Amino acid sequence: MTSGSGSSTTTVATMPHVGMNLEHNGKTWTIIKTLASGPFSEVFEALDAETKQHYAMKTEKEVGTIRPVLKLDVFVLRMLQNRNPIGFPRIFDAGRTDNFKYVVMQLVGPDLSKLRRSLPDKKFSLITALRVCAQTLDRIETLHDMGWLCRDIKAPNFAIGRGEQAGIVYMLDFGFARRFLDNNGNHVRPRAAAAILGTIHYAPIASHFGREQSRRDDLESWFYMCVELLVGPLPWANLDCRRQHQLICEWKQFARKGGRHQFLKDCPLEFNNILSMIDALRYYERPNYRLIAAQIEKAIDRMKLDRYAPFDWQVDNGKIIEKAAFIGDLGESHLLSLKLREAQKKKSLEGNYDSAMEIST
């Protein structure tokens, strides 16, 4: 690797990898482990060689990426950072080499999808799910009031904080975000057609038909995520998003009509009202986030739940968080359970033994 201090034009000969020291812009980052990996980008845990603090480092290939998203991700986070809202990771450094772009940001814990799948019933307790629904709704409201749509609302794009911040849910990944308010605060007119973006299983019905998305569509995706957190996998979770995207759309439409009771039968009654409120929104309309949040609070009160109870991942001595750190993305759990057992074996040899945990998707 060729590197130099204090220069923004440093040439790095290789892509980032575990064990590498990245020297750039006068900083040295030691890449400790891979947190997430894709065909064009990766997320690592990185150590600041000077302060010994741990951070997340997102990288993206400079050439060959079909749809570069890191620049947009950084832009949105910096705009948010100027307002200092709760629940969004802070950016500490960013740079570009000949081969890749990178951003160093606050390191957070496991995402909601991994945490859910780490639990025995593959779903959160009712009070944890409802409190998470309320927090994620608040994050979406903050983003919308900054004039941005997410267009990729899903459980993997929300993660808990670390340590004392484990009760805070952070919103991540704004690579598909789109500005919907102009500089004067006016709503941008919709385009005649728009590409299907985000993750099909959570995508709003409008996206299936190639229509421009608005705030209501982010909330529709949020609602699917909430149902998943409350009761487990969505009815269409096992359908192939490439070959069966039309069938997924039909499932979502059925959930409004003949299948509504079946879709919501294990959710609090108030979620029927929430879905009606979201579906009634017009394209340009600002959702009444407080009214939706009040429905969640109403459910908590009606069922006499303890809104101050610890979250599910805070009552097991850290075992659920540890398990979630190894569970990996959907479909990879059978591979990563081996890594968990290896880690626990190492801890056992060091005199810190925990009983083995099984992982399944």
Side-chain angles (χ1 to χ4, degrees), residues 50-324:
E50 182 179 354
T51 67
K52 306 303 180 184
Q53 294 293 312
H54 291 248
Y55 298 91
M57 176 183 285
K58 295 182 71 171
T59 67
E60 182 179 78
K61 290 182 179 179
E62 189 68 55
V63 179
T65 304
I66 297 173
R67 188 180 189 276
V69 297
L70 190 59
K71 183 178 180 180
L72 180 59
D73 200 13
V74 171
F75 184 80
V76 173
L77 275 175
R78 279 183 167 158
M79 283 191 65
L80 287 161
Q81 193 161 302
N82 291 335
R83 303 283 185 93
N84 197 32
I86 190 171
F88 295 89
R90 297 186 63 80
I91 292 177
F92 294 93
D93 192 20
R96 163 180 269 164
T97 73
D98 287 350
N99 288 347
F100 61 88
K101 298 184 284 287
Y102 69 91
V103 59
V104 178
M105 63 179 64
Q106 179 182 348
L107 182 64
V108 295
D111 68 57
L112 295 181
S113 176
K114 292 176 182 178
L115 286 166
R116 177 185 65 80
R117 290 182 289 118
S118 297
L119 293 165
D121 295 329
K122 305 297 179 285
K123 63 179 181 180
F124 291 121
S125 66
L126 192 52
I127 185 57
T128 285
L130 289 172
R131 291 174 67 197
V132 166
C133 290
Q135 280 205 43
T136 51
L137 176 65
D138 183 77
R139 306 298 177 264
I140 295 167
E141 180 183 7
T142 298
L143 181 67
H144 286 176
D145 286 349
M146 290 285 292
W148 289 84
L149 301 174
C150 176
R151 303 194 300 173
D152 195 22
I153 300 290
K154 59 182 180 180
N157 284 346
F158 292 92
I160 63 171
R162 289 161 55 90
E164 295 180 354
Q165 296 180 323
I168 300 175
V169 178
Y170 287 81
M171 190 175 187
L172 315 171
D173 202 342
F174 304 96
F176 289 108
R178 180 176 173 83
R179 182 92 181 168
F180 72 91
L181 295 181
D182 63 22
N183 292 333
N184 296 318
N186 298 314
H187 201 300
V188 176
R189 293 181 62 83
R191 295 169 294 179
I196 298 178
L197 290 175
T199 305
I200 295 299
H201 292 97
Y202 301 89
I205 292 173
S207 186
H208 285 276
F209 289 98
R211 296 198 292 264
E212 188 76 274
Q213 295 187 43
S214 67
R215 285 170 285 192
R216 69 181 181 197
D217 299 299
D218 267 357
L219 289 190
E220 182 183 339
S221 296
W222 167 81
F223 188 84
Y224 299 143
M225 180 187 77
C226 290
V227 172
E228 181 183 63
L229 298 179
L230 282 160
V231 304
L234 295 165
W236 52 86
N238 291 325
L239 296 179
D240 185 89
C241 61
R242 292 179 180 270
R243 295 183 296 105
Q244 297 175 293
H245 62 87
Q246 186 57 43
L247 184 57
I248 293 173
C249 179
E250 291 171 5
W251 254 111
K252 294 170 184 174
Q253 293 172 313
F254 181 61
R256 266 76 173 180
K257 300 174 183 176
R260 192 182 186 100
H261 173 73
Q262 180 67 22
F263 182 50
L264 299 177
K265 68 182 180 68
D266 294 321
C267 293
L269 300 175
E270 290 76 9
F271 276 73
N272 183 61
N273 299 334
I274 293 174
L275 180 58
S276 295
M277 292 164 63
I278 293 171
D279 285 344
L281 288 166
R282 296 184 296 274
Y283 181 84
Y284 291 102
E285 187 177 357
R286 183 185 187 275
N288 192 331
Y289 307 94
R290 297 304 93 196
L291 195 57
I292 295 173
Q295 289 291 315
I296 298 174
E297 291 299 313
K298 182 180 177 182
I300 293 173
D301 289 337
R302 180 179 59 81
M303 293 182 285
K304 296 180 172 57
L305 301 173
D306 181 6
R307 58 170 43 83
Y308 302 108
F311 289 99
D312 292 345
W313 53 84
Q314 294 178 313
V315 297
D316 60 355
N317 226 6
K319 289 182 180 179
I320 294 298
I321 294 177
E322 180 185 11
K323 189 175 179 180

